[in-house]
């Protein structure tokens, strides 16, 4: 191991040790009810749910009490190591702020006033409202927002009821533009887990992807491997990120101008004949037209847009070409930035095509999966309406439902009224841009059901809140992953729920029975369901219970290993020039448009991740919040000095629409440009039930009142907001 990767390794395991030490204190401090049944230590494999990556884990139970969670060495995603958040997963079970029993609202929505009810009362109430909505408006009028594998059974119940509108913020607020940009180019998505062969890359380009703070475990581990292998790393970010500190080249780009850089890079690579000619000739479509369009985008043209010197643009373009095809320009994940994101992502796809990296080692591998049949349910009712989120295919290239499209329909009643929301494991108030629109849309609903584990902001707007058991207390559907190696993973209960919480499969099945749809649940319990699927696949459920993971046989991942080079595009080739886009009235080759600036004296608001938190879901977790109780606002040191601010001072931020944030601590640093500020997403909670997290730090979501919608696919670019500094008197 070379010194860099060893440092990185120590960093990861250091945080892990800190978390493990904290666990002891928490479990002692929280005087959990007497449930001790089993003496000694049990090791139970399961998979993590502190984010959606689904790392294989082993939970340790000591004398019947949850003790610690570690990585499962058999699991290809975690390879035996969890990220710091996963290690702190114990805190989700012990969280004293958890929802404990079903609740029905007693006052107006948003007031967070409840009465506790039984599960039977709660589910009867919901079923009754659902039947009324069905008879008055049709079953299509209930929409479902669901994020993560835990939503599978509830979605099944709602499909059986006749619902057709299902969405998650992972498309229009996260990776949608990237998947569209790549689909238009290669005919396939980058998908999740990303099919990026980071560990074999010899040159890795990160455009905003802040791996190391973005802790998606496999990606972070492979990044450490690439650093350890002395891969050449190029980081493009207005902020000197953790990843930037490992880079050979750091490009502090002016926010919003990445497409101007990508076009200039491609200009250099094409005009200097540095691309993979054989690959482009064999697999490419429309290369000559593409090349002709690129000629105008010289590094000199790019310089005033991006602030990156032509010399540096040329040097980095040549660096990429030097290592092709093992040059990976990472496609990013959260890419809803400026509203032209599908085209920027397409430019990233095209740059990779010039490197010949798609389907090649060190580029993008072809993922594989095991063949595990689904459960043979009765078919769902035939819908009489189209989906509500994208009327008349306004966004022609959206291949998943648009959350904000459902919100729009709820608000306007067009193309038809939406009267109910089922919300599973997504905090829509913080996840969608412009909270006020979300709250207004909710006012048009006859039924809002929220299934969560803590009383987060969205729960405050529900009519009925259903408390779910956390992942360490339940089964979920099995994870038949698409990855470099094929495998099946099991989530299974490790400890019992401390109060009246129930697993999602139980809630879904009971609700279906209340709705008279019991025939959609021919199985008695979830183990019978899993056993059926495993047996149908010729796999052993007992082995899965014991090991948590069953691996498939090794299959080829690259063209060189025999994966057929087929592209599901209209031309059957990699589309350098897109006739699909042209026919739909869009640019067949991406064109740069300068993003709108902000008011004089304002800073562009950027946001991202911290290694020890997930979105807005972990701030009450005592272990994780011990490590980071509040967020900070990164402010360029010169700007801070101009305002006589130093690190540790508190300020407020005011956005272009007059919204003022909570107070937030200043981090005065050279590590960010002068034209922007940065904060970690997920803090500044306003939900009263989150006693530990309430009011700590500031919320980026609250300040994101403006967004720019991507015309190709309906994603919401949210880096369009500007703030000024308010100094406390
Ligand atoms: N610890 C932790 N890890 C996570 C998550 C989590 O909640 N916690 N969430 C996961 C999920 S679902 C996602 S989608 C990912 C998101 O993480 P990523 O996809 O890696 O990153 P983004 O959120 O898009 O962008 C944040 C970075 O982009 C930079 N940036 C902002 N504007 C620009 C710009 O105009 N140009 C360039 N080049 N850079 C810019 C910011 O300074 C910051 O470094 O993280 C994943 N990993
Ligand atoms: N302002 C702003 N908005 C963003 C982003 C951003 O960085 N800034 N990031 C965007 C991105 S990349 C993404 S992927 C989305 C993520 O958006 P979401 O998926 O909505 O993420 P969270 O805010 O963590 O909300 C998850 C909710 O699930 C609950 N939960 C946790 N565990 C369980 C469980 O076991 N069962 C149930 N039923 N509920 C559970 C949590 O308490 C929380 O209320 O947000 C997007 N929106
Ligand atoms: S990346 Fe971290 S939080 Fe996410 S599933 Fe893996 S260990 Fe858990
Ligand atoms: Mo995301």
């Amino acid at each position: 191991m070379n010194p860099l990767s060893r440092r990185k390794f120590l960093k990861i395991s250091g945080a892990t040790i800190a978390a493990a030490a904290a666990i002891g204190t928490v479990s002692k401090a929280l005087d959990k009810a007497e449930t001790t049944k089993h003496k000694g230590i049990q090791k139970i494999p399961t998979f993590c749910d502190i984010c959606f990556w689904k790392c294989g884990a082993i939970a340790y139970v000591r004398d019947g009490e949850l003790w610690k969670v570690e990585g499962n060495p058999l699991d290809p995603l975690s390879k035996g190591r969890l990220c710091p958040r996963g290690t702190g997963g114990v805190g989700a079970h012990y969280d004293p702020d958890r929802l404990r029993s079903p609740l029905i609202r007693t006052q107006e929505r948003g007031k967070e006033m409840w009465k506790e009810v039984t599960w039977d009362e709660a589910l009867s109430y919901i079923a009754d409202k659902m039947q009324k909505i069905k008879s008055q408006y049709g079953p299509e009028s209930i929409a479902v927002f669901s994020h993560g594998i835990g939503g599978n059974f509830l979605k099944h119940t709602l499909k059986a009821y006749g619902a057709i509108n299902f969405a998650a913020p992972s498309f229009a607020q996260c990776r949608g533009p990237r998947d569209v940009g790549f689909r238009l180019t290669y005919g396939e998505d980058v998908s999740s887990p990303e099919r990026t062969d980071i560990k074999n890359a010899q040159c890795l380009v990160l455009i905003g992807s802040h791996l190391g703070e973005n802790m998606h475990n496999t990606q972070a581990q492979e990044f450490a491997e690439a650093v350890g292998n002395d891969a050449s790393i190029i980081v493009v970010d207005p902020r000197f990120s953790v990843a930037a500190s490992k880079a050979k080249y750091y490009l502090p780009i002016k926010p919003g101008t990445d497409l101007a850089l990508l076009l200039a890079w491609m200009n250099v690579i094409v005009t200097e004949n540095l691309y993979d000619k054989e690959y482009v000739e064999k697999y490419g479509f429309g290369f000559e037209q593409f090349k002709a369009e690129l000629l105008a985008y010289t590094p000199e043209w790019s310089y005033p847009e991006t602030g990156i010197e032509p010399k540096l643009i040329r040097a980095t373009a040549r660096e990429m070409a030097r290592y092709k095809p093992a040059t990976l320009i990472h496609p990013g994940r959260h890419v809803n930035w400026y509203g032209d994101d599908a085209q920027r992502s397409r430019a990233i796809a095209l740059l990779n095509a010039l490197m010949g990296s798609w389907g090649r080692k060190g580029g993008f591998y072809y993922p594989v999966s095991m063949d595990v049949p689904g459960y043979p349910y009765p078919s769902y009712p035939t819908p009489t309406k189209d989906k509500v989120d994208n009327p008349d295919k306004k966004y022609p290239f959206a291949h998943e439902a648009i959350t904000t499209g459902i919100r729009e329909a709820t608000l306007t009643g067009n193309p038809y009224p939406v009267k109910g929301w089922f919300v599973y494991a997504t905090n829509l108030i913080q996840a969608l841009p412009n909270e006020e629109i979300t709250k207004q849309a909710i006012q048009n609903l006859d039924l809002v059901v929220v299934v969560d584990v803590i009383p987060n902001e969205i729960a405050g707007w529900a009519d009925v809140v259903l408390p779910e058991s956390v992942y360490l207390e339940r089964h979920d559907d099995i994870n038949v992953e698409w990855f470099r190696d094929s495998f099946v993973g099991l989530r299974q209960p490790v400890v019992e729920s401390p109060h009246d919480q129930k697993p999602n499969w139980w809630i879904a099945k009971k609700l279906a029975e209340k709705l008279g749809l019991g025939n959609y649940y021919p199985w008695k319990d979830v183990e019978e369901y899993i056993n059926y699927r495993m047996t149908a696949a010729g796999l052993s459920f007992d082995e899965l219970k014991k090991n948590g993971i069953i691996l498939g046989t090794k299959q080829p991942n690259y063209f060189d290993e025999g994966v057929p080079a087929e592209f599901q595009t209209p031309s059957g080739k990699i589309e350098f020039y897109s006739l699909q886009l042209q026919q739909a009235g869009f640019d067949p080759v991406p064109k740069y448009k300068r993003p709108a600036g902000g008011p004089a004296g304002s800073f562009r608001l950027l946001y991202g991740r911290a290694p020890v938190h997930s979105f807005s879901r972990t701030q009450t977790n005592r272990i994780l919040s011990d490590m980071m109780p509040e967020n900070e606002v990164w402010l360029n040191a010169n700007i801070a000095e101009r305002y006589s601010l130093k690190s540790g001072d508190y300020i407020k931020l005011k956005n272009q629409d007059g919204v003022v944030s909570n107070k937030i601590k200043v981090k005065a640093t050279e590590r960010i440009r002068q034209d922007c500020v940065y904060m970690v997403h997920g803090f500044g909670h306003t939900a009263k039930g989150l006693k530990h997290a309430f009011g700590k730090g500031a919320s980026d979501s609250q300040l994101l009142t403006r967004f720019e919608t991507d015309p190709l696919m309906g994603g919401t670019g949210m880096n369009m907001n500007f703030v000024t500094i308010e100094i406390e008197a």
Side-chain angles (χ1 to χ4, degrees):
M1 204 184 265
N2 87 2
L4 264 183
S5 76
R6 180 156 169 79
R7 243 196 334 270
K8 176 81 195 174
F9 171 76
L10 287 175
K11 207 164 167 189
I12 293 177
S13 48
T16 306
I17 290 159
I23 290 162
T25 1
V26 171
S27 47
K28 263 187 233 118
L30 307 173
D31 193 21
K32 197 175 149 266
E34 193 65 42
T35 54
T36 315
K37 294 175 205 102
H38 194 288
K39 283 279 169 205
I41 292 170
Q42 292 168 282
K43 292 197 221 173
I44 306 168
T46 185
F47 61 84
C48 179
D49 194 38
I50 300 300
C51 82
F52 308 105
W53 200 257
K54 307 193 268 303
C55 292
I58 297 191
Y60 288 69
V61 178
R62 191 166 54 187
D63 299 338
E65 298 277 333
L66 180 61
W67 171 30
K68 62 175 181 177
V69 192
E70 291 179 349
N72 183 347
L74 292 177
D75 170 45
L77 289 176
S78 74
K79 290 192 237 149
R81 279 192 285 161
L82 299 181
C83 86
R85 299 169 295 155
T87 308
V90 172
H93 168 70
Y94 287 116
D95 189 343
D97 289 349
R98 283 180 66 173
L99 291 163
R100 292 168 180 232
S101 67
L103 303 171
I104 290 185
R105 180 166 66 82
T106 54
Q107 288 189 21
E108 65 193 82
R109 290 190 183 124
K111 287 265 191 276
E112 302 176 270
M113 296 300 284
W114 317 100
K115 64 170 188 230
E116 290 193 355
V117 295
T118 63
W119 277 96
D120 194 59
E121 283 170 288
L123 294 174
S124 297
Y125 180 97
I126 295 168
D128 184 49
K129 289 265 183 178
M130 285 176 74
Q131 301 296 27
K132 285 197 182 118
I133 291 173
K134 189 186 246 181
S135 58
Q136 207 176 341
Y137 302 97
E140 298 85 356
S141 284
I142 292 193
V144 182
F145 299 90
S146 165
H147 199 178
I149 196 169
N152 285 11
F153 296 111
L154 270 168
K155 285 196 269 190
H156 171 57
T157 297
L158 270 292
K159 282 178 191 164
Y161 163 84
I164 55 168
N165 293 299
F166 296 83
S170 45
F171 185 70
Q173 281 70 44
C174 175
R175 57 175 167 71
R178 171 194 84 181
D179 286 346
V180 170
F182 273 70
R183 231 176 221 229
L184 284 164
T185 312
Y186 298 101
E188 278 183 55
D189 295 358
V190 177
S191 68
S192 174
E194 284 83 11
R195 54 203 287 180
T196 43
D197 197 9
I198 298 175
K199 70 173 180 190
N200 290 314
Q202 288 167 34
C203 176
L204 175 67
V205 184
L206 299 176
I207 303 174
S209 304
H210 54 329
L211 296 179
E213 290 156 288
N214 160 352
M215 266 295 169
H216 270 166
N217 194 355
T218 322
Q219 301 252 319
Q221 288 191 31
E222 289 201 16
F223 178 54
E225 263 184 83
V227 172
N229 294 337
D230 288 326
S232 176
I233 293 174
I234 301 171
V235 170
V236 183
D237 198 311
R239 184 182 65 98
F240 190 79
S241 59
V242 169
S245 69
K246 312 280 180 222
K248 177 167 175 189
Y249 293 97
Y250 166 57
L251 282 57
I253 196 165
K254 185 169 169 188
T257 65
D258 298 80
L259 185 49
L261 173 66
L262 287 157
L263 291 166
W265 270 341
M266 294 197 283
N267 170 293
V268 174
I269 288 164
V270 166
T271 55
E272 297 188 9
N273 276 311
L274 299 173
Y275 58 98
D276 187 334
K277 278 210 199 62
E278 202 189 314
Y279 183 95
V280 168
E281 265 163 34
K282 204 159 150 196
Y283 304 129
F285 170 84
F287 181 74
E288 289 308 320
Q289 285 155 294
F290 162 78
K291 183 175 168 179
E293 293 226 5
L294 279 183
L295 295 178
Y297 302 118
T298 60
E300 285 68 23
W301 163 83
S302 177
Y303 180 36
E305 298 300 327
T306 58
I308 309 297
E309 289 192 23
K311 214 169 57 211
L312 188 54
I313 297 179
R314 288 202 167 84
T316 42
R318 290 169 192 154
E319 181 81 358
M320 285 180 229
R322 186 169 306 139
Y323 296 103
K324 69 175 184 294
T327 294
L328 172 64
I329 299 94
H330 194 290
R333 183 175 178 103
H334 172 246
V335 293
N336 278 289
W337 289 349
Y338 300 96
D340 63 347
D341 306 300
Q343 287 282 22
R344 183 184 68 251
S345 295
R346 190 166 132 71
I348 294 176
L350 290 168
L351 179 56
N352 276 296
L354 292 176
M355 296 294 108
S357 66
W358 182 266
R360 311 283 281 283
K361 190 169 178 183
F364 294 82
Y365 64 78
Y366 271 71
V368 292
S369 125
M370 281 167 91
D371 189 13
V372 181
Y375 196 95
Y377 290 124
S379 52
Y380 300 127
T382 313
T384 57
K385 292 175 183 155
D386 287 334
K387 289 179 187 170
V388 84
D389 63 293
N390 189 11
D392 304 322
K393 282 262 171 207
K394 183 172 171 200
Y395 304 109
F397 298 101
H399 60 269
E400 288 183 32
I402 303 165
T403 44
T404 24
I406 295 180
R407 179 176 78 172
E408 185 69 17
T410 310
L411 198 64
T412 60
N414 293 318
Y416 53 85
V418 175
K419 286 293 163 186
W421 281 10
F422 248 87
V423 184
Y424 179 87
T426 167
N427 188 12
L428 294 178
I429 302 291
Q430 292 235 20
L432 307 184
N434 198 320
E435 300 181 359
E436 289 311 312
I437 301 181
T438 309
K439 292 171 188 172
Q440 276 168 30
I442 288 174
Q443 298 303 0
N444 288 349
L445 296 167
D446 293 345
L447 176 67
V448 186
V449 180
V450 169
V451 188
D452 209 303
V453 293
I454 50 171
N456 226 333
E457 281 76 24
I458 187 65
W461 293 84
D463 303 329
V464 188
V465 182
L466 302 177
E468 196 183 9
S469 308
V470 301
Y471 70 103
L472 293 161
E473 303 156 5
R474 66 174 199 245
H475 282 99
D476 272 334
D477 207 343
I478 41 179
N479 180 26
V480 186
E481 195 62 286
W482 283 88
F483 187 58
R484 179 201 290 286
D485 310 296
S486 60
F487 68 93
V488 184
L490 176 71
R491 179 173 286 154
Q492 61 184 334
V494 172
V495 281
E496 282 176 21
S497 297
H499 312 100
D500 200 10
Q501 298 95 347
K502 298 282 183 197
N504 59 68
W505 67 264
W506 184 94
I507 302 170
K509 181 168 160 56
K510 287 283 174 228
L511 179 61
E513 286 161 8
K514 288 268 181 212
L515 290 164
L517 301 167
N519 58 320
Y520 282 89
Y521 283 87
W523 38 268
K524 165 173 95 319
D525 60 25
V526 70
E527 287 194 74
E528 191 177 308
Y529 161 90
I530 297 173
N531 192 36
Y532 180 94
R533 291 189 63 192
M534 293 297 287
T535 309
L539 298 170
S540 156
F541 187 24
D542 285 338
E543 186 189 337
L544 188 63
K545 281 192 219 176
K546 189 164 147 271
N547 295 332
I549 298 284
I550 293 183
L551 288 168
T553 48
K554 187 74 197 146
Q555 292 169 66
N557 294 124
Y558 311 113
F559 295 159
D560 298 345
E561 294 178 345
V563 174
E566 288 165 0
F567 304 96
Q568 310 296 319
T569 52
S571 64
K573 300 204 156 199
I574 300 173
E575 303 212 330
F576 283 94
Y577 194 87
S578 172
L579 296 174
Q580 284 192 81
L581 280 172
Q582 192 178 44
Q583 276 150 17
F586 299 108
D587 299 328
V589 176
K591 279 196 169 67
Y592 174 71
K593 203 177 102 234
R594 187 178 302 154
S602 67
F603 307 91
R604 194 182 284 275
L605 174 61
L606 307 180
Y607 49 88
R609 309 285 177 242
V612 299
H613 283 285
S614 287
F615 313 110
S616 74
R617 55 160 57 195
T618 49
Q619 291 74 26
T620 66
N621 180 315
R622 301 303 197 265
I623 294 165
L624 298 176
S625 64
D626 259 10
M627 288 188 270
M628 180 178 174
E630 62 188 304
N631 58 354
E632 300 175 310
V633 57
W634 293 44
L635 197 61
N636 178 276
N638 294 329
I639 304 285
E641 201 180 300
R642 198 182 306 157
Y643 284 86
S644 304
L645 289 167
K646 56 182 187 325
S647 289
D649 290 347
Y650 280 89
I651 58 170
K652 289 184 175 178
L653 299 172
K654 183 177 181 180
N655 82 354
Q656 71 284 328
D657 297 320
V659 175
V660 180
S661 75
N662 266 1
K663 66 185 173 68
I664 178 167
K665 208 190 255 185
V666 170
K667 176 184 169 103
T669 172
E670 304 286 348
R671 287 174 55 190
I672 188 162
R673 287 174 57 99
Q674 302 205 4
D675 52 5
C676 51
V677 297
Y678 175 85
M679 66 163 86
V680 168
H681 168 61
F683 286 87
H685 282 283
T686 54
K688 294 195 285 260
L690 305 181
K691 296 193 188 66
H692 193 65
F694 181 87
K696 285 187 190 153
S699 161
D700 61 331
S701 308
Q702 194 193 14
L703 295 167
L704 304 185
T705 47
R706 296 208 183 160
F707 57 95
E708 185 86 17
T709 305
D710 192 311
L712 271 63
M713 49 64 70
T716 55
M718 308 194 285
N719 290 12
M720 307 303 291
N721 293 270
F722 294 85
V723 292
T724 49
I725 292 168
E726 302 265 294
I727 306 221
E728 294 262 270

